[in-house]
């Protein structure tokens, strides 16, 4: 799929919907040990289960799931989602993952976050977007705080991964905070 089909365009990345042909790509993108650790992924999914997940998400009106792709070569490098939208309270949560280590620390995730925050607050008319990060993923927590997410608290020993319990840090951003920071 080319960048012409991108939903949201940035300087280095664009965000596009997933389709059935992406199951193989999605399967390999998130199977690395470090990516699984950073996302707390414990379950091993088959390509068929991933294809079914993509199909379910396509028909789900409580969120949006998009691939993050590089503008210069159309390579898909991760995914980002607004999910669990509560239309009455105008809230949702956000998640993001960059698949391979070579793409991490390049500013791609930050740009994708800003694109989806703009979409969430501007198009979806959300008032509050929250995100969670495992306490050991300090690089991601730093990025979230640098774009304006505010640390709200810690859910202690929420994840059991690799024989240890880990805390989850909860952060959020309000529509007014986003607008003050990014809309002139």
């Amino acid at each position: 799929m080319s960048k012409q089909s991108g939903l949201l365009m940035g300087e280095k990345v664009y965000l596009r919907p997933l389709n059935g042909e992406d199951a193989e790509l999605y399967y390999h993108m998130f199977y690395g040990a470090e990516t699984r650790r950073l996302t707390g992924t414990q379950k091993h999914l088959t390509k068929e289960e991933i294809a079914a997940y993509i199909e379910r998400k396509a028909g789900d009106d409580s969120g949006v799931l998009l691939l993050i792709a590089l503008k210069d070569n159309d390579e898909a490098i991760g995914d980002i989602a607004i999910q669990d939208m509560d239309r009455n309270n105008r809230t949702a949560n956000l998640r993001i993952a960059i698949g391979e280590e070579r793409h991490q620390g390049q500013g791609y995730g930050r740009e994708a976050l800003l694109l989806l925050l703009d979409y969430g607050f501007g198009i979806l008319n959300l008032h509050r977007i929250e995100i969670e990060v495992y306490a050991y993923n300090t690089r991601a927590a730093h990025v979230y705080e640098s774009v304006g997410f505010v640390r709200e608290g810690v859910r202690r020993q929420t994840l059991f991964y690799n024989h240890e319990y880990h805390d989850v840090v909860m952060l959020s951003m309000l529509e007014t905070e986003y607008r003050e920071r990014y809309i002139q």
Side-chain angles (χ1 to χ4, degrees):
M1 186 167 281
S2 73
K3 59 182 150 192
Q4 283 70 34
S5 59
L7 175 64
L8 303 169
M9 304 295 284
E11 290 182 28
K12 298 185 280 187
V13 301
Y14 65 94
L15 309 181
R16 70 164 176 83
L18 279 80
N19 58 55
E21 297 93 55
D22 292 319
E24 177 92 14
L25 167 75
Y26 210 62
Y27 175 77
H28 291 291
M29 188 183 320
F30 298 110
Y31 218 74
E34 182 63 1
T35 301
R36 293 176 65 78
R37 183 184 78 82
L38 292 175
T39 60
T41 303
Q42 297 169 324
K43 187 176 181 184
H44 294 273
L45 300 172
T46 67
K47 290 176 200 163
E48 293 76 19
E49 289 171 319
I50 290 172
Y53 169 76
I54 291 170
E55 189 173 320
R56 278 192 314 276
K57 285 296 189 181
D60 182 4
D61 65 353
S62 69
V64 59
L65 172 63
L66 302 168
L67 276 181
I68 303 167
L70 298 177
K71 280 181 78 172
D72 63 352
N73 64 7
D74 295 329
E75 178 185 3
I77 62 165
D79 77 336
I80 189 166
I82 289 180
Q83 54 196 16
D84 303 326
M85 281 195 297
D86 177 340
R87 299 272 186 198
N88 291 329
N89 294 305
R90 297 176 48 215
T91 64
N93 68 56
L94 189 147
R95 70 168 178 77
I96 182 172
I98 303 293
E100 294 182 25
E101 225 174 309
R102 66 187 171 101
H103 294 124
Q104 296 169 2
Q106 305 295 315
Y108 303 137
R110 177 187 178 82
E111 185 174 320
L113 275 171
L114 291 172
L115 288 170
L116 204 56
L117 285 169
D118 190 61
Y119 184 78
F121 290 125
I123 303 299
L124 298 177
N125 194 30
L126 293 170
H127 173 69
R128 171 189 158 86
I129 298 175
E130 58 189 40
I131 194 165
E132 295 181 343
V133 62
Y134 297 111
Y136 55 76
N137 193 347
T138 56
R139 182 171 59 194
H142 172 75
V143 171
Y144 303 154
E145 289 175 317
S146 75
V147 300
F149 279 93
V150 175
R151 191 177 289 238
E152 293 185 327
V154 174
R155 289 190 358 241
R156 299 177 307 142
Q157 298 186 4
T158 301
L159 173 71
F160 185 76
Y161 196 86
N162 199 23
H163 309 285
E164 293 180 75
Y165 282 98
H166 303 278
D167 295 343
V168 172
V169 178
M170 301 172 301
L171 304 101
S172 73
M173 184 183 296
L174 302 177
E175 169 189 21
T176 52
E177 294 166 339
Y178 176 81
R179 293 189 192 292
E180 286 172 7
R181 190 174 188 134
Y182 296 106
I183 307 298
Q184 291 357 325

